[in-house]
Amino acid sequence: MRIHLSSVFVDDQEKALRFYTDVLGFVKKHDVPMGEDRWLTVVSPEEPDGTELLLEPSGHPAVGPYKTALVQDGIPAASFAVDDVRAEFGRLRELGVRFTQEPLEMGPITTAVLDDTCGNLIQIAHSK
């Protein structure tokens, strides 16, 4: 068994697509119209056939309170692996990304948490 698809609820799919591709560096995999919304996924350019991240619309009534609670409590909606958190932190900060947690070493793991501009906190992490 493998993880094939995961999702984050986003306030605006087009804005999310730009952030996740132009800023974070993912590539668009699927973009299928579905009424007013889209089945919109991105993948790592290093693993184009790997796990897809669905940029899912936040339209369901339960999503707003859920996302608000996570952000207020500082809980990331997703975690992405990077080779070097400090280097990625510097690169993203230069692009104007806002971080809610600067790089933090916790034993063998280093993490940082950023605002994806679409209503979510996202963690980046690497292990030594």
Side-chain angles (χ1 to χ4, degrees):
M1 190 174 301
R2 301 178 311 279
I3 297 172
H4 169 71
L5 178 78
S6 188
S7 64
V8 291
F9 291 105
V10 297
D11 299 336
D12 178 318
Q13 285 186 301
E14 191 58 39
K15 181 179 178 183
L17 179 61
R18 285 191 307 272
F19 183 83
Y20 280 79
T21 57
D22 297 346
V23 177
L24 296 185
F26 291 104
V27 294
K28 182 169 58 173
K29 175 88 176 199
H30 295 287
D31 189 352
V32 179
M34 298 186 73
E36 293 181 17
D37 298 312
R38 297 144 65 182
W39 180 263
L40 182 59
T41 67
V42 295
V43 294
S44 168
E46 298 167 14
E47 296 181 5
D49 294 321
T51 304
E52 296 177 44
L53 180 67
L54 175 62
L55 304 177
E56 188 155 2
S58 294
H60 189 281
V63 173
Y66 167 75
K67 285 174 58 174
T68 298
L70 289 179
V71 170
Q72 286 177 347
D73 290 345
I75 299 171
S79 182
F80 303 142
V82 297
D83 292 332
D84 181 333
V85 167
R86 291 189 187 284
E88 195 65 12
F89 172 83
R91 180 187 80 81
L92 293 172
R93 187 165 246 181
E94 283 185 18
L95 292 173
V97 173
R98 185 179 76 80
F99 281 81
T100 61
Q101 177 203 303
E102 295 196 6
L104 176 64
E105 291 184 26
M106 298 174 285
I109 298 172
T110 302
T111 66
V113 178
L114 61 94
D115 179 340
D116 79 348
T117 73
C118 299
N120 302 290
L121 299 179
I122 301 295
Q123 177 177 269
I124 57 174
H126 80 259
S127 298
K128 292 181 183 175

